[in-house]
């Protein structure tokens, strides 16, 4: 079974969020299950720098008005074989992959169109996938191009929603710029309140839809979680399934993590996690105090992440003797609010505004608690990494957070399943209550705290398990 995955991010080369982590791990896990996988990504500078190119599989004299382009096949360290869409006019840019460029509609329609051509016609060596697996709005037009091509041999398609909040919506007048057949522009297709919606179009034309947790698969079919697409998702309900993400053991393993001075495991947890805490407190300019409960945040600063719920709790946390370390970037108001808090509480609150992979690992290793108050969270990876590193999540009970964290209650303490602290209402005082529970357990019941930590560390959200579910889905599509 040959499967082509197309996406716009790949860890560790081009990363905005969790999608990159998924693309860095899932293809390999699928290969281990016997699925032959290739990737297709834009030839971003970071990828071209490390790529060993094998050949050119197609050339386009003018790709959607962006100049000449080629489809290359390459090897990139750590990845399965990868097709790179070398369209310098579109992708030879530094900065984020989809910052507010004015031509994003053409860049990602071009990516989808080329993916469709490869799927329908095969590459220069006659290699053609049986299934094409698309990720998010940036590749979502692929099934539309494939379905409307008139080709008798259309491979099957799977479209994964990593976050329904981002849909790729553009004004209608771009229709002629993106090579999309006009017949796609209808109420149950690309049309969206008089505009064009890439994700909606993909959802209408793809064979199967997946999203990254069972709870999110349910939430997006309701009014609140549906981001205006609940109608189409309800209609496609029997083709929609939630498959949880996993943890890449090669990247997130506290006993072998090259970013840590003192790797650790369940057996030496107390002592070695303590070393990591002190080292990180020093790195961040926090008071070096092993007994201070350290809360961490690693996040994009986006309204969806609910970090505004943390701000009103900071003074309270500090008054309880806790520390807070924040790693993130994005929304300017949020950046300022955390910096301001750090200024008010030197030694107790520290913030690093930016993206830093090593710091993220050290923060997980050092922290006692990771705050994940997301208003919505399709899967969430940081809580999985935190648990693996013995940091207990305090999180909102939504999406993948609800599916991966077991709230501390008298029952879950008794049966030994507790792994974190959940709250439901997206209110800062509700988060405050969950924080209070975490602080009181840490202070008053250190042995129970340690027991929950070891329990969290023993959770294995493996990519093997997810890959098996995807492989089953591909097989069902192929009638196997
Ligand atoms: P999302 O994809 O919505 O951002 P996830 O939890 O799925 O949420 O994935 C976030 C990923 O980005 C994780 O790998 C996390 O460690 C990483 N990350 C987020 N912010 C930063 C940062 N400032 N520095 C380093 N890594 C970060
Ligand atoms: C998205 C979601 C996140 C998920 C990630 C990978 O960015 O916001 O919850 O973990 O994709 O699927």
């Amino acid at each position: 079974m040959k499967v082509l995955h197309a996406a716009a991010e790949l860890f560790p080369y081009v990363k905005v969020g969790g999608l990159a982590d998924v693309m860095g791990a899932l293809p390999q896990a699928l290969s281990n299950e016997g699925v032959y996988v290739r990737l297709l990504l834009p030839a971003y500078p970071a990828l071209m720098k490390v790529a060993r190119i094998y050949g050119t599989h197609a050339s386009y004299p003018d790709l959607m008005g962006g100049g000449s382009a080629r489809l290359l096949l390459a090897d990139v360290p750590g990845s399965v074989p990868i097709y790179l869409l070398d369209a310098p006019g579109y992708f030879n840019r530094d900065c984020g992959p989809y910052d507010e460029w004015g031509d994003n509609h053409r860049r990602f329609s071009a990516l989808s169109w080329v993916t469709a051509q490869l799927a329908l016609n095969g590459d220069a060596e006659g290699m053609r996938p049986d299934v094409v697996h698309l990720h998010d709005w940036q590749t979502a037009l692929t099934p539309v191009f494939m379905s409307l091509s008139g080709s008798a041999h259309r491979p099957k398609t799977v479209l994964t929603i990593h976050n329904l909040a981002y849909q790729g919506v553009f004004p209608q007048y771009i229709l002629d710029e993106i090579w999309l057949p006009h017949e796609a522009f209808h109420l149950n297709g690309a049309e969206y309140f008089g505009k064009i919606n890439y994700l909606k179009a993909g959802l209408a034309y793809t064979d199967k839809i997946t999203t990254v947790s069972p709870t999110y698969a349910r939430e997006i079919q309701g009014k609140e979680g549906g981001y205006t697409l609940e109608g189409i998702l309800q209609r496609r309900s029997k083709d929609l399934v939630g498959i949880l993400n996993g943890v890449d053991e090669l990247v997130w393993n506290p006993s072998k993590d090259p970013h840590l001075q003192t790797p650790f495991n369940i057996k030496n947890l107390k002592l070695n996690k303590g070393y990591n805490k002190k080292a990180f407190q020093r790195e961040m300019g926090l008071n070096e105090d092993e007994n201070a409960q350290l809360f961490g945040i690693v996040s994009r600063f986006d309204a969806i992440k609910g970090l505004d719920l943390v701000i009103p709790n900071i003074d309270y946390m500090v008054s309880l003797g806790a520390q807070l370390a924040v790693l993130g970037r994005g929304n300017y108001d949020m950046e300022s609010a955390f910096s301001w808090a750090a200024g008010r509480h030197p030694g107790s609150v520290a913030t690093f505004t930016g993206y830093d992979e090593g710091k993220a690992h050290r923060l997980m290793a050092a922290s006692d608690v990771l705050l994940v108050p997301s208003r919505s969270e399709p899967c969430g990876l940081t809580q999985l990494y935190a648990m693996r590193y013995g940091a207990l999540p305090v999180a909102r009970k939504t999406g993948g957070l609800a599916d991966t964290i077991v709230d501390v209650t008298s029952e879950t303490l008794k049966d030994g399943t507790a792994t974190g602290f959940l709250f439901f209402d997206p209110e800062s005082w509700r988060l405050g209550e969950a924080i209070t529970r975490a602080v009181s357990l840490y202070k008053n019941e250190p042995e129970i705290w340690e027991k929950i930590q070891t329990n969290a560390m023993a959770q294995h959200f493996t990519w093997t398990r997810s890959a098996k579910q995807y492989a089953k889905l591909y097989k069902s599509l192929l009638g196997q």
Side-chain angles (χ1 to χ4, degrees):
M1 182 166 47
K2 293 173 295 204
V3 180
L4 174 69
H5 281 251
E9 297 180 37
L10 176 63
F11 178 85
Y13 307 105
V14 189
K15 171 161 165 175
V16 175
L19 173 61
D21 297 17
V22 175
M23 298 318 297
L26 174 61
Q28 194 53 56
L30 283 167
S31 303
N32 297 344
E33 295 305 308
V35 180
Y36 185 78
V37 187
R38 285 187 177 178
L39 291 182
L40 195 161
L41 259 95
Y44 301 115
L47 280 168
M48 286 303 262
K49 221 162 46 194
V50 292
R52 238 191 14 201
I53 313 271
Y54 287 124
T56 302
H57 280 266
S59 300
Y60 313 100
D62 184 18
L63 182 61
M64 243 170 249
S68 67
R70 299 175 304 163
L71 186 66
L72 310 171
L73 182 61
D75 248 353
V76 162
S79 168
V80 299
I82 176 167
Y83 294 101
L84 292 172
L85 174 55
D86 181 26
Y90 284 141
F91 298 115
N92 188 13
R93 305 175 188 179
D94 280 315
C95 298
Y98 17 85
D99 288 355
E100 296 297 308
W101 305 111
D103 56 356
N104 272 348
H105 58 290
R106 284 192 286 137
R107 298 171 80 215
F108 294 107
S109 183
L111 180 65
S112 302
W113 183 83
V114 168
T115 307
Q117 301 312 303
L118 177 62
L120 294 171
N121 307 321
D123 69 10
E125 283 156 12
M127 178 74 145
R128 222 169 64 105
D130 304 304
V131 177
V132 187
H133 190 152
L134 295 323
H135 298 269
D136 278 351
W137 72 265
Q138 294 88 351
T139 54
L141 289 183
T142 307
V144 191
F145 285 122
M146 287 170 67
S147 297
L148 299 181
S149 69
S151 166
H153 303 286
R154 176 194 177 283
K156 299 294 183 189
T157 54
V158 176
L159 173 56
T160 295
I161 303 169
H162 291 269
N163 200 325
L164 191 62
Y166 313 113
Q167 299 178 1
V169 178
F170 302 99
Q172 188 188 339
Y173 65 76
I174 63 144
L175 193 54
D176 288 323
E177 296 176 32
I178 57 169
W179 294 2
L180 196 72
H182 282 219
E183 56 189 300
F185 193 74
H186 58 90
L187 192 65
N188 293 320
E191 196 275 338
Y192 178 75
F193 302 114
K195 297 182 176 178
I196 298 178
N197 184 320
Y198 284 26
L199 187 66
K200 176 173 179 267
L203 294 174
Y205 285 86
T206 189
D207 296 310
K208 290 282 178 194
I209 301 165
T210 76
T211 187
V212 286
S213 70
T215 294
Y216 196 65
R218 275 195 307 278
E219 287 173 351
I220 58 178
Q221 295 179 58
K223 192 156 174 42
E224 207 177 312
Y227 292 90
T228 68
L229 296 188
E230 63 274 13
I232 185 165
L233 288 162
Q234 281 161 21
R235 272 202 303 286
R236 304 265 357 233
S237 176
K238 68 174 186 1
D239 294 315
L240 165 63
V241 57
I243 299 179
L244 271 180
N245 290 331
V247 173
D248 187 344
E249 279 289 317
L250 294 175
V251 182
W252 292 96
N253 179 347
S255 64
K256 290 189 191 141
D257 189 332
H259 297 292
L260 308 185
Q261 243 173 33
T262 320
F264 63 100
N265 56 39
I266 287 182
K267 284 192 201 121
N268 56 30
L269 169 68
K270 200 167 160 47
L271 188 66
N272 285 11
K273 198 170 160 73
Y275 288 137
N276 281 292
K277 189 194 242 185
K278 278 197 152 169
F280 189 68
Q281 284 170 327
R282 203 172 318 130
E283 177 177 342
M284 292 294 284
L286 291 166
N287 298 332
E288 282 177 51
D289 176 1
E290 223 182 290
N291 296 321
Q293 189 177 18
L294 178 59
F295 285 69
I297 291 175
V298 180
S299 185
R300 294 183 292 117
F301 291 169
D302 180 310
I304 214 170
K305 294 292 181 185
L307 296 171
D308 53 306
L309 306 179
V310 177
I311 307 292
N313 280 299
I314 295 180
D315 294 354
Y316 170 62
M317 290 164 70
V318 173
S319 77
L320 296 175
Q323 296 185 344
L324 175 65
V326 184
L327 170 57
R329 65 170 177 197
N331 176 291
Y332 177 75
D333 289 342
M334 201 55 67
E335 290 180 1
S336 315
F338 282 120
S339 300
W340 194 58
R344 280 201 323 274
H345 300 291
S348 295
V349 178
T351 176
F352 178 90
T353 306
Y355 177 92
D356 188 322
E357 186 70 27
K359 253 195 196 5
H361 286 243
R362 292 191 291 280
L363 183 145
M364 298 290 184
S367 297
D368 299 295
V369 176
L370 187 82
L371 292 177
V372 198
S374 308
R375 288 175 186 278
S376 146
E377 195 62 79
C379 176
L381 291 168
T382 58
Q383 83 280 10
L384 303 183
Y385 303 156
M387 289 193 271
R388 197 79 190 79
Y389 282 59
L392 304 185
V394 166
R396 233 202 108 218
K397 191 173 179 188
T398 183
L401 299 169
D403 290 343
T404 56
I405 300 166
V406 179
D407 191 26
V408 172
T409 63
S410 49
E411 261 160 52
T412 60
L413 280 180
K414 212 183 296 159
D415 64 22
T417 52
T419 54
F421 303 86
L422 293 170
F423 68 100
F424 184 69
D425 298 327
E427 307 282 348
S428 58
W429 67 275
R430 289 292 192 192
L431 169 61
E433 281 181 344
I435 290 173
T436 308
R437 286 201 286 143
V439 169
S440 125
L441 196 72
Y442 181 84
K443 266 193 192 152
N444 304 325
E445 312 272 6
E447 274 158 29
I448 295 182
W449 184 272
E450 224 176 288
K451 171 81 197 35
I452 305 172
Q453 272 182 309
T454 53
N455 192 31
M457 289 176 78
Q459 302 297 310
H460 280 293
F461 293 96
T462 67
W463 274 113
T464 307
R465 198 194 42 179
S466 322
K468 281 190 198 301
Q469 293 179 56
Y470 283 113
K472 202 164 138 203
L473 180 73
Y474 302 151
K475 281 190 189 145
S476 76
L477 270 173
L478 299 174
Q480 295 176 7

